[in-house]
Amino acid sequence: MALRAALRPKCAFLGLLQSSGSHGRVSTVLVSQMRNNTTAPKIKVDFNQSTGVAVLSMQSPPVNSLSLDFLTELCINLEKLEMDKACRGLIITSTQPKVFSAGLDIMEMYGKSPERCGEFWRAVQEMWLKIYGSNMVTIAAINGSSPAGGCLLGLTCDYRIMADNPRYTIGLNETLLGIVAPFWFKDTMVNTVGHRNTEMALELGLLYSPSEALKIGLVDKLVPQDQLLTTATETMTKWLAIPDHARQITKSMMRKPTIDKLTSNREADIQNFVSFITKDSIQKSLRMYLEMLKKRKA
Amino acid sequence: MALRAALRPKCAFLGLLQSSGSHGRVSTVLVSQMRNNTTAPKIKVDFNQSTGVAVLSMQSPPVNSLSLDFLTELCINLEKLEMDKACRGLIITSTQPKVFSAGLDIMEMYGKSPERCGEFWRAVQEMWLKIYGSNMVTIAAINGSSPAGGCLLGLTCDYRIMADNPRYTIGLNETLLGIVAPFWFKDTMVNTVGHRNTEMALELGLLYSPSEALKIGLVDKLVPQDQLLTTATETMTKWLAIPDHARQITKSMMRKPTIDKLTSNREADIQNFVSFITKDSIQKSLRMYLEMLKKRKA
Amino acid sequence: MALRAALRPKCAFLGLLQSSGSHGRVSTVLVSQMRNNTTAPKIKVDFNQSTGVAVLSMQSPPVNSLSLDFLTELCINLEKLEMDKACRGLIITSTQPKVFSAGLDIMEMYGKSPERCGEFWRAVQEMWLKIYGSNMVTIAAINGSSPAGGCLLGLTCDYRIMADNPRYTIGLNETLLGIVAPFWFKDTMVNTVGHRNTEMALELGLLYSPSEALKIGLVDKLVPQDQLLTTATETMTKWLAIPDHARQITKSMMRKPTIDKLTSNREADIQNFVSFITKDSIQKSLRMYLEMLKKRKA
């Protein structure tokens, strides 16, 4: 099974981009289902009015790949919560076994028109902008592996708690597939683990075990898997004890320069992604990777 | 007693701003005393000509609150020492039991005119500019708790030695009172403990025990309280073994960008503080805090 | 023997700048030898076509001082390797016992014309620009002490492995001699060990033992001396498993802002060095230092 392999550190090459389940003939079905709005929701939100805390669960089988549809649904939910004054805290987690999110959906980057690639990339930016600049307290309850875009999703939160299972890995491992984390992925990681750790991690596409991730500060706390949500909830209570207004201004002061860098370069960043990903050499890399995935499934 | 409570980590909310003793009717008396220049000096300076080292002791009961008068006296003394070619090193400490400095005096921010608030804020900036950019070697001998502005005072020095007493705490805990550390407090902390530690510390208003502070690099060394001044003096000797000119140019290279950021935004920073602190909502927070303090004293 | 003293931590003052062997009458001979191109090469390169890895050994007795001739020869070799598509990795090491490189050659800074000083400084910049921005994977196999410019040379590489011998030291100790590390030395160190470690290290001219250097991240790995090259080669294999193109773009993203800062201020930086180093007071410091060296040799 491809997923299982993807989650092993030594198979890091597989950990970057997961196609969302079975592609090819099936994907056409999926697309038409989405257009008819008949697919199961990829995001589930449980909002507790009494605590002001929402738990957002990613539930897109098999590995919560960040497809355009997934990201669109995620951003709609984030916007609703952000606008709800009663919602002060957000916990992001996954319902999928062994994986938090496997990152960007490779099928959004393979054989697609430049327009579609651009639309996809804008959605990735939007997710980052919405969470990194959120007024809510955001806690990632990372209950499985979290490579590439999955790691980015965790990094955008205010606090990261990870299930202490040595089989799980986390990291921005884009280079392993021959692609490159953009500057704002890099900036987010530098803000979290510093320049030197980021340089090593990005150049080598490092995937860290939970204990390694804790050591460099890529995650803030490890707990047994069955205590993950409880711990996230307790941590949230501490954060919500701080006056919202003062905390929000402080958060903005810390993150605004990084956010401004993307917002003022957003179109150029999209152009850059599109021209890179549609290159013949990159498309060839992605095709080879997909073929390898198919063989493993067979 | 309010102070005792303020020094316990779990009472962090109290650790931010200490009013200088008994306010209300008494404060009028204090102000008139100051105008008559009959109050006891808040700063004591012992300068050793043979070593070139001055020890500056803060001696303003009960908790070395940074009032406008305190800051003015402090800055006058700093300027004298800076201009004295014979003075190469400065040790800053406190004569008050259990406290280094409790930070900005809340009475300077409550019920004051915008002009007065602006004057006060300019004095806080001046203290920071004078110490952070000093040509002298500056060592903080932190012999007690050091919340908020007290922590900032320590952070502006070249080196921080703290008494290893688990009852003491140190940190920029402004958010706990609903106010916000300005960008140059933040920059100073980022330069010392990095971006991520600062983000967590400022958003949560964290107060660290000495051993926690040592771990993240908020202080550089812990020693038993009775060895604090001896250790500071020994450390000073090592720093003074470096040729002054080379050390000063190097220090300026490290700190100039941070200093320039404030000097080129000084008036805007004052305006920002004044408009924030004179808001009804903030004044209400401060009043509630003062009333709580009074009740505790009663 | 001066060298032996220079390598002891407590003799840090000596660890900065090493004159290249015996100066005075002999240096004239050396210069004429160089002009006749009859001197032994200061750099040896072994390129393994099958692995794509070159080992560049510095072999300029006694301590691989970075003279203008040394730097010129080094840069010529670096350029050749950079332009050779077959060369993907570079290991930099020393053939000299107990020393990696003792840093900038003091004789290039003492009693020289401003023009010559400027020429020398441009060569130091060139070395840094060539290695810090190299497309090759660069690994420093630090098999001895590495003060000042020697430490900089190591810091420009992608990865640093040091021989675990407590007699060796490494650090940017310029201030000990009354001179100052320029902003790009500082930037390189900040990128590696962070702002606070750099501030302390540069102001105090700290020389670290291998284990101290590992602790703050100044080097990445320690191994017994006889395993240094083997470990460097194994590490190189891991780095070369990453697709070159993705790794190179990522490296450029991490380092370009720092490189751009020097390239856009290159002439000003040269002027700054020349006017500083030709000052009477600095020349006097250097003369005293050289005289002390001579006495020790006698």
Side-chain angles (χ1 to χ4, degrees):
Chain A
M1 187 196 166
L3 172 61
R4 182 171 295 254
L7 301 181
R8 282 204 305 271
K10 61 181 175 179
C11 293
F13 187 80
L14 299 178
L16 170 64
L17 300 159
Q18 290 297 328
S19 56
S20 43
S22 30
H23 285 283
R25 61 186 165 80
V26 183
S27 65
T28 322
V29 180
L30 277 173
V31 167
S32 61
Q33 283 182 320
M34 285 164 196
R35 285 187 180 146
N36 293 327
N37 283 327
T38 60
T39 50
K42 298 178 194 314
I43 304 289
K44 183 179 67 166
V45 174
D46 293 306
F47 177 44
N48 184 329
Q49 286 278 358
S50 69
T51 61
V53 177
V55 176
L56 185 154
S57 301
M58 303 181 284
Q59 52 178 12
S60 180
V63 291
N64 291 325
S65 293
L66 305 178
S67 64
L68 179 53
D69 286 313
F70 183 97
L71 290 166
T72 305
E73 200 177 317
L74 176 61
C75 285
I76 290 171
N77 277 285
L78 289 171
E79 195 157 329
K80 273 188 206 164
L81 295 170
E82 194 73 41
M83 288 169 63
D84 183 347
K85 295 272 177 193
C87 183
R88 300 174 59 219
L90 173 67
I91 295 170
I92 300 179
T93 193
S94 159
T95 61
Q96 301 311 111
K98 297 177 193 161
V99 69
F100 179 68
S101 163
L104 305 186
D105 190 337
I106 196 171
M107 293 312 290
E108 299 287 2
M109 300 188 261
Y110 178 65
K112 291 286 187 296
S113 71
E115 291 70 30
R116 170 77 186 202
C117 285
E119 197 186 351
F120 170 64
W121 197 247
R122 188 182 301 278
V124 180
Q125 293 175 333
E126 193 61 29
M127 170 194 81
W128 182 84
L129 288 167
K130 280 204 159 24
I131 309 179
Y132 203 60
S134 174
N135 271 325
M136 299 180 280
V137 173
T138 52
I139 295 179
I142 304 168
N143 53 339
S145 282
S146 202
C151 176
L152 179 75
L153 177 55
L155 283 172
T156 58
C157 292
D158 292 318
Y159 198 80
R160 285 157 288 287
I161 309 172
M162 191 170 184
D164 192 8
N165 184 333
R167 287 166 162 247
Y168 298 160
T169 61
I170 184 168
L172 294 177
N173 59 330
E174 279 78 355
T175 51
L176 294 180
L177 198 68
I179 64 173
V180 176
F183 72 90
W184 42 287
F185 282 48
K186 181 263 291 177
D187 289 344
T188 314
M189 193 167 191
V190 168
N191 287 350
T192 311
V193 300
H195 189 279
R196 175 60 182 158
N197 280 322
T198 301
E199 186 175 70
M200 290 268 287
L202 294 193
E203 289 192 31
L204 292 169
L206 295 179
L207 286 173
Y208 298 88
S209 72
S211 61
E212 290 165 343
L214 181 69
K215 202 176 164 190
I216 66 161
L218 191 58
V219 300
D220 298 299
K221 200 185 184 84
L222 302 184
V223 294
Q225 179 128 9
D226 59 3
Q227 297 169 26
L228 195 55
L229 269 183
T230 319
T231 308
T233 305
E234 288 167 1
T235 305
M236 183 61 81
T237 305
K238 286 183 198 167
W239 282 73
L240 292 181
I242 311 298
D244 278 345
H245 190 61
R247 185 190 51 71
Q248 287 160 0
I249 296 176
T250 303
K251 179 172 176 176
S252 170
M253 177 174 64
M254 297 303 299
R255 299 192 169 190
K256 193 169 181 299
T258 308
I259 290 171
D260 287 350
K261 232 173 107 183
L262 179 57
T263 47
S264 62
N265 290 288
R266 197 162 177 183
E267 298 308 319
D269 181 59
I270 292 172
Q271 283 309 313
N272 190 48
F273 170 75
V274 171
S275 69
F276 180 82
I277 209 72
T278 54
K279 271 185 190 151
D280 285 349
S281 58
I282 302 298
Q283 286 293 310
K284 191 180 157 193
S285 288
L286 296 178
R287 187 172 66 245
M288 285 167 61
Y289 174 68
L290 283 170
E291 279 164 9
M292 184 186 63
L293 275 187
K294 272 186 199 163
K295 275 184 199 154
R296 286 182 173 258
K297 283 180 189 172
Chain B
M1 186 196 166
L3 172 62
R4 183 171 296 253
L7 301 181
R8 281 204 304 272
K10 60 180 175 182
C11 293
F13 187 80
L14 300 178
L16 170 63
L17 300 158
Q18 290 297 329
S19 55
S20 45
S22 31
H23 287 282
R25 61 183 166 82
V26 182
S27 65
T28 322
V29 179
L30 276 172
V31 168
S32 60
Q33 282 184 321
M34 285 162 194
R35 284 187 182 147
N36 292 327
N37 284 325
T38 59
T39 50
K42 300 177 193 314
I43 304 288
K44 184 179 66 166
V45 174
D46 294 306
F47 178 44
N48 184 330
Q49 287 278 358
S50 69
T51 61
V53 178
V55 176
L56 185 155
S57 301
M58 302 181 284
Q59 52 178 13
S60 180
V63 290
N64 291 324
S65 293
L66 305 177
S67 64
L68 179 53
D69 286 313
F70 183 97
L71 290 166
T72 305
E73 199 177 319
L74 176 60
C75 285
I76 289 171
N77 278 285
L78 289 171
E79 195 158 328
K80 274 188 206 164
L81 294 169
E82 194 74 40
M83 287 169 61
D84 183 348
K85 295 273 176 192
C87 183
R88 299 174 60 218
L90 173 65
I91 295 170
I92 300 179
T93 193
S94 159
T95 61
Q96 300 312 110
K98 298 176 192 162
V99 68
F100 180 68
S101 163
L104 304 186
D105 189 337
I106 196 171
M107 292 313 289
E108 299 287 2
M109 301 188 260
Y110 178 65
K112 290 286 187 297
S113 71
E115 290 69 31
R116 170 78 186 200
C117 285
E119 196 185 351
F120 171 64
W121 197 246
R122 188 182 301 278
V124 181
Q125 293 175 333
E126 194 61 29
M127 170 194 81
W128 182 84
L129 288 167
K130 280 204 161 23
I131 309 180
Y132 202 60
S134 174
N135 271 324
M136 299 179 281
V137 173
T138 52
I139 295 180
I142 304 169
N143 53 339
S145 282
S146 201
C151 176
L152 178 76
L153 178 54
L155 283 172
T156 58
C157 293
D158 292 318
Y159 198 81
R160 284 157 288 289
I161 309 172
M162 191 169 182
D164 192 8
N165 183 334
R167 288 168 161 245
Y168 298 160
T169 61
I170 184 168
L172 293 178
N173 59 330
E174 278 79 354
T175 51
L176 295 180
L177 197 69
I179 64 174
V180 175
F183 73 89
W184 42 287
F185 282 48
K186 182 262 291 177
D187 289 344
T188 314
M189 193 167 191
V190 168
N191 287 351
T192 312
V193 300
H195 190 279
R196 176 60 180 158
N197 280 323
T198 301
E199 186 175 70
M200 290 267 287
L202 293 193
E203 290 192 30
L204 293 170
L206 295 179
L207 286 173
Y208 298 88
S209 70
S211 61
E212 290 164 343
L214 181 69
K215 202 176 163 190
I216 66 161
L218 191 59
V219 300
D220 298 299
K221 200 185 185 83
L222 302 183
V223 294
Q225 179 129 9
D226 59 2
Q227 297 169 26
L228 195 55
L229 269 183
T230 318
T231 308
T233 305
E234 288 167 1
T235 305
M236 183 60 81
T237 305
K238 287 183 199 166
W239 282 73
L240 292 182
I242 311 298
D244 278 345
H245 190 60
R247 185 190 51 71
Q248 287 160 358
I249 296 175
T250 304
K251 179 172 176 176
S252 170
M253 177 174 65
M254 296 303 299
R255 300 192 168 189
K256 193 169 181 299
T258 308
I259 291 171
D260 287 350
K261 233 173 106 182
L262 178 57
T263 46
S264 62
N265 289 287
R266 196 161 176 184
E267 298 308 318
D269 181 60
I270 292 172
Q271 283 309 313
N272 189 47
F273 171 77
V274 171
S275 69
F276 179 83
I277 209 71
T278 54
K279 271 185 191 154
D280 285 350
S281 58
I282 302 297
Q283 286 293 309
K284 190 181 159 195
S285 289
L286 297 178
R287 187 173 65 243
M288 285 167 61
Y289 174 68
L290 284 171
E291 279 164 8
M292 184 185 64
L293 275 187
K294 272 186 198 162
K295 275 183 200 154
R296 284 180 174 261
K297 284 182 189 173
Chain C
M1 188 196 166
L3 172 62
R4 182 172 295 253
L7 301 181
R8 282 204 304 272
K10 61 179 176 180
C11 292
F13 187 79
L14 299 178
L16 170 64
L17 299 158
Q18 291 297 328
S19 55
S20 44
S22 31
H23 287 282
R25 62 187 164 80
V26 183
S27 64
T28 321
V29 180
L30 277 172
V31 168
S32 61
Q33 283 183 319
M34 285 162 195
R35 285 187 181 147
N36 292 327
N37 284 326
T38 59
T39 50
K42 299 177 192 317
I43 304 289
K44 184 179 65 168
V45 173
D46 293 306
F47 178 44
N48 184 329
Q49 287 278 357
S50 69
T51 60
V53 177
V55 176
L56 185 154
S57 302
M58 302 181 284
Q59 54 179 13
S60 180
V63 291
N64 291 325
S65 293
L66 305 177
S67 65
L68 178 54
D69 287 311
F70 182 97
L71 290 166
T72 305
E73 200 177 318
L74 176 60
C75 285
I76 290 171
N77 277 283
L78 289 170
E79 195 157 328
K80 273 187 206 164
L81 295 169
E82 194 74 41
M83 288 168 62
D84 183 348
K85 296 272 176 194
C87 183
R88 299 174 58 219
L90 173 66
I91 294 170
I92 300 179
T93 193
S94 158
T95 61
Q96 301 310 111
K98 298 177 192 161
V99 69
F100 180 67
S101 163
L104 305 186
D105 189 337
I106 195 171
M107 293 313 289
E108 299 287 2
M109 300 188 260
Y110 178 64
K112 290 286 188 295
S113 71
E115 290 70 31
R116 170 78 186 202
C117 285
E119 197 185 350
F120 170 64
W121 197 246
R122 188 181 301 277
V124 181
Q125 293 175 334
E126 194 61 29
M127 171 194 80
W128 182 85
L129 288 167
K130 279 204 160 25
I131 310 181
Y132 203 61
S134 174
N135 272 325
M136 298 179 282
V137 174
T138 52
I139 295 180
I142 304 169
N143 54 339
S145 282
S146 202
C151 177
L152 178 76
L153 178 55
L155 283 171
T156 58
C157 292
D158 292 318
Y159 198 81
R160 284 157 289 288
I161 310 172
M162 190 169 183
D164 192 10
N165 183 333
R167 288 168 160 245
Y168 299 160
T169 61
I170 184 168
L172 293 178
N173 59 329
E174 278 79 354
T175 51
L176 295 180
L177 196 68
I179 63 173
V180 176
F183 72 88
W184 42 286
F185 282 47
K186 181 262 291 177
D187 290 344
T188 314
M189 194 168 190
V190 168
N191 288 351
T192 311
V193 301
H195 190 279
R196 176 59 181 159
N197 280 323
T198 301
E199 186 174 69
M200 290 267 288
L202 294 193
E203 290 192 31
L204 292 170
L206 295 180
L207 286 172
Y208 298 88
S209 70
S211 61
E212 290 165 342
L214 181 69
K215 201 176 164 191
I216 65 161
L218 191 59
V219 300
D220 298 299
K221 200 185 185 84
L222 301 184
V223 293
Q225 179 128 8
D226 59 2
Q227 297 169 26
L228 195 54
L229 269 183
T230 320
T231 308
T233 305
E234 289 167 0
T235 305
M236 183 60 81
T237 305
K238 287 182 198 166
W239 282 73
L240 292 181
I242 312 299
D244 278 345
H245 190 60
R247 185 191 50 72
Q248 287 160 359
I249 297 176
T250 303
K251 179 172 176 175
S252 170
M253 176 174 65
M254 296 303 299
R255 299 191 168 189
K256 194 170 181 299
T258 308
I259 290 171
D260 286 350
K261 233 173 106 182
L262 178 58
T263 47
S264 63
N265 289 288
R266 197 162 176 183
E267 298 308 319
D269 181 60
I270 292 173
Q271 283 309 314
N272 190 47
F273 170 76
V274 171
S275 69
F276 179 82
I277 209 72
T278 54
K279 271 184 191 155
D280 284 349
S281 58
I282 303 298
Q283 286 293 310
K284 190 181 158 193
S285 288
L286 297 179
R287 187 174 63 244
M288 284 167 62
Y289 174 67
L290 284 171
E291 278 165 9
M292 183 187 63
L293 275 186
K294 272 186 199 164
K295 275 184 200 154
R296 284 180 176 261
K297 284 182 190 173

